[in-house]
Amino acid sequence: MDDDALATVRSALAERRVAAAQRLAALTGRFDEVVAASAGSNLDDEHDPEGATIAFERSQIDALARQAAAELAEVDAAEARLADGTYGTCERCGEAIPAGRLEARPTARTCVTCAAR
């Protein structure tokens, strides 16, 4: 991979890192707000008419936060592959991952064929 391509990949990964970190921070703040707002309410979600809504909202925020954390982990893994020279190589079959796939998904670990399996 030439220097221009590496710079492009690093830039794309940096953008993804910033976006995922911002998303995670916002979701963490929102989760804390939901928990704080429900602190004075009836903690028995099963019998509280608002309980199901609060529980659902907490669960939804938690799932989105886990997705953002997973995105950060994928960026870390892609940066590690860049550092060790394996970036752009399919982890399953060892073939090159097409440039178009890497442009669309810079954290891709597999080629299109292996991803479809």
Side-chain angles (χ1 to χ4, degrees), residues 80-112:
R81 291 191 302 277
L82 272 172
D84 70 17
T86 60
Y87 183 84
T89 302
C90 179
E91 290 182 351
R92 285 192 183 167
C93 70
E95 296 294 319
I97 299 172
R101 176 163 170 76
L102 290 172
E103 285 175 29
R105 186 176 168 178
T107 58
R109 295 174 178 256
T110 57
C111 66
V112 175

Side-chain angles (χ1 to χ4, degrees), residues 24-98:
L24 183 57
L27 289 164
T28 301
R30 180 69 184 126
F31 186 84
D32 292 344
E33 289 172 8
V34 169
V35 170
S38 66
S41 69
N42 182 358
L43 296 178
D44 183 6
D45 282 359
E46 184 178 334
H47 298 98
D48 181 0
E50 290 297 316
T53 303
I54 293 167
F56 174 77
E57 191 169 355
R58 279 193 316 240
S59 178
Q60 186 177 33
I61 293 169
D62 181 57
L64 292 170
R66 281 186 276 123
Q67 286 176 349
E71 176 76 14
L72 287 172
E74 285 297 315
V75 170
D76 288 342
E79 289 174 341
R81 291 191 302 277
L82 272 172
D84 70 17
T86 60
Y87 183 84
T89 302
C90 179
E91 290 182 351
R92 285 192 183 167
C93 70
E95 296 294 319
I97 299 172

